[in-house]
């Protein structure tokens, strides 16, 4: 699955059980937030890839902004993951 601008792309067109599809999308969002958290802890300010073009993601984003974005994603899927 690919996530662009915070929304999953690709799995939406797959025919499968909606409950499973939702769970997989939420797990992917959680893992992405976890990876961003680990990158911030290891390297400090990092590019936060929210857009679809390189120009949108080449500047580094502050640790606080990256962590806030990651935590917002975790909170949004908190009740929907196993």
């Amino acid at each position: 699955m690919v996530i662009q601008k915070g929304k999953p792309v690709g799995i939406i067109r797959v025919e499968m059980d909606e409950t499973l599809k939702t769970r997989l999308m939420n797990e992917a969002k959680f893992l992405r937030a976890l990876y961003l958290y680990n990158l911030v802890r290891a390297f400090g300010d990092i590019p936060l890839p929210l857009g679809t073009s390189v120009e949108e993601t080449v500047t580094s984003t502050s640790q606080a902004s990256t962590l806030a974005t990651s935590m917002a994603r975790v909170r949004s899927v908190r009740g929907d993951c196993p």
Side-chain angles (χ1 to χ4, degrees), residues 53-66:
S53 69
V54 173
E55 291 79 23
E56 293 177 274
T57 60
V58 292
T59 60
S60 69
T61 307
S62 70
Q63 287 180 326
S65 178
T66 303

Side-chain angles (χ1 to χ4, degrees), residues 2-62:
V2 176
I3 297 177
Q4 293 177 349
K5 295 188 180 181
K7 298 185 181 183
V9 179
I11 196 170
I12 294 173
R13 290 174 274 172
V14 175
E15 291 184 29
M16 64 188 322
D17 177 61
E18 287 300 317
T19 304
L20 177 61
K21 186 185 296 187
T22 300
R23 191 190 91 206
L24 292 174
M25 289 190 301
N26 289 333
E27 287 176 3
K29 289 177 186 178
F30 174 82
L31 289 173
R32 183 171 191 257
L34 177 64
Y35 299 149
L36 286 172
Y37 172 80
N38 287 334
L39 286 169
V40 165
R41 299 286 292 161
F43 301 107
D45 295 350
I46 62 168
L48 183 59
L50 295 177
T52 58
S53 69
V54 173
E55 291 79 23
E56 293 177 274
T57 60
V58 292
T59 60
S60 69
T61 307
S62 70

